[in-house]
């Protein structure tokens, strides 16, 4: 039986391998589509044997499904961390939403290929992983919903807000605006894009921009 340190080391190595496979898969699929991307290509791009792919994932579809879970999990964690830090610093719920917008932009700037894939898959209805996609989407949206509900509860936001739809709209705004930024306005800085979305947030959610 392996010692705990050996087990930990093996787990770390496997996670590093899976990370390489995620990165290879997301890059290739973004370049040429899911159907056109082969397991051989993923293995070659990751610098591993084909058997290593199947050791970690039962199939290409399972790899992609786990890629969605992994990527959206990172996004949700980034949003949650931004909200929690704002709360620790004594900020308002609008401040928390603003911090989450920036965290989302930072994530998308770091993982543009994943974001392109994620947004594209949201529009498809014939994928085997559709149910998984809906679950992981809600994982990210739920973080925003929590902040909105807390803001309604403390009177910062109107109780007429549709929390679920507003949260989805905010996440969608960041995703689409960031992709537009990277595709058509790459000369703009992250700070510039964040400032534009922040002004929109202030005017549409808190109403302060209308005073």
């Amino acid at each position: 039986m392996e010692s705990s340190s050996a087990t930990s080391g093996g787990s770390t190595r496997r996670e590093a391998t899976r990370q390489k496979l995620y990165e290879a898969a997301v890059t290739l699929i973004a370049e040429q589509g899911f159907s056109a991307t082969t397991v051989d290509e993923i293995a070659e791009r990751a610098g591993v044997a084909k058997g290593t792919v199947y050791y970690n994932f039962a199939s290409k579809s399972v790899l992609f499904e786990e890629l969605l879970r992994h990527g959206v999990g990172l996004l949700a964690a980034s949003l949650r961390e931004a909200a929690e830090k704002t709360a620790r610093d004594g900020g308002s719920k609008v401040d928390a939403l603003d911090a989450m917008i920036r965290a989302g932009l930072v994530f998308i700037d770091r993982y543009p290929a994943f974001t392109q894939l994620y947004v594209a898959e949201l529009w498809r209805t014939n994928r085997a992983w559709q149910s998984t996609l809906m679950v992981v989407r809600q994982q990210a949206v739920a973080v925003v919903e929590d902040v909105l509900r807390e803001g309604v509860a403390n009177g910062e936001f109107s109780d007429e807000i549709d929390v679920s739809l507003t949260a989805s709209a905010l996440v969608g705004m960041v995703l689409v605006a960031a992709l537009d930024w990277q595709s058509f306005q790459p000369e703009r800085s992250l700070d510039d894009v964040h400032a534009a979305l922040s002004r929109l947030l202030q005017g549409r959610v808190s109403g302060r921009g209308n005073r």
Side-chain angles (χ1 to χ4, degrees):
M1 183 176 291
E2 295 177 320
S3 67
S4 58
S5 60
T7 301
S8 176
S11 176
T12 300
R13 286 192 297 274
R14 185 177 186 189
E15 186 55 40
T17 299
R18 290 169 72 93
Q19 184 65 41
K20 287 197 296 185
L21 291 171
Y22 288 144
E23 292 173 358
V26 74
T27 302
L28 286 166
I29 295 171
E31 290 174 354
Q32 57 195 33
F34 177 81
S35 298
T37 299
T38 67
V39 172
D40 286 325
E41 290 173 321
I42 293 172
E44 182 179 359
R45 180 68 66 93
V48 302
K50 182 177 180 179
T52 301
V53 180
Y54 289 115
Y55 176 75
N56 286 274
F57 304 100
S59 66
K60 184 176 69 170
S61 291
V62 171
L63 166 56
F64 190 71
E65 189 171 345
E66 289 304 311
L67 171 62
L68 290 173
R69 291 182 184 276
H70 177 72
V72 179
L74 291 176
L75 173 59
S78 296
L79 299 178
R80 187 177 299 107
E81 181 180 353
E84 291 174 349
K85 182 179 185 304
T86 302
R88 290 194 301 270
D89 293 343
S92 68
K93 296 307 175 185
V94 171
D95 292 333
L97 292 175
D98 188 52
M100 293 164 85
I101 286 175
R102 185 174 186 84
L105 291 173
V106 169
F107 175 88
I108 294 165
D109 189 45
R110 183 176 181 183
Y111 304 109
F114 173 79
T115 306
Q116 292 169 12
L117 281 181
Y118 173 65
V119 172
E121 290 302 315
L122 286 174
W123 290 97
R124 301 181 189 275
T125 59
N126 61 342
R127 298 297 205 189
W129 50 78
Q130 186 67 23
S131 59
T132 295
L133 185 61
M134 293 301 99
V135 170
V136 297
R137 168 198 168 276
Q138 185 55 34
Q139 182 182 354
V141 172
V143 181
V144 184
E145 288 179 346
D146 288 343
V147 172
L148 289 171
R149 288 195 185 93
E150 291 167 1
V152 170
N154 69 17
E156 188 172 347
F157 301 146
S158 168
D159 58 10
E160 295 181 356
I161 285 179
D162 185 319
V163 170
S164 178
L165 187 57
T166 301
S168 296
L170 287 171
V171 172
M173 175 184 73
V174 174
L175 289 172
V176 174
L179 289 178
D180 184 88
W181 158 41
Q182 294 189 337
S183 298
F184 304 111
Q185 306 178 65
E187 72 282 359
R188 301 184 69 165
S189 69
L190 190 151
D191 287 341
D192 186 29
V193 177
H194 174 225
L197 296 186
S198 180
R199 285 191 291 270
L200 181 61
L201 171 71
Q202 301 295 333
R204 296 296 183 268
V205 176
S206 73
R208 290 189 297 215
N210 295 326
R211 292 178 181 175

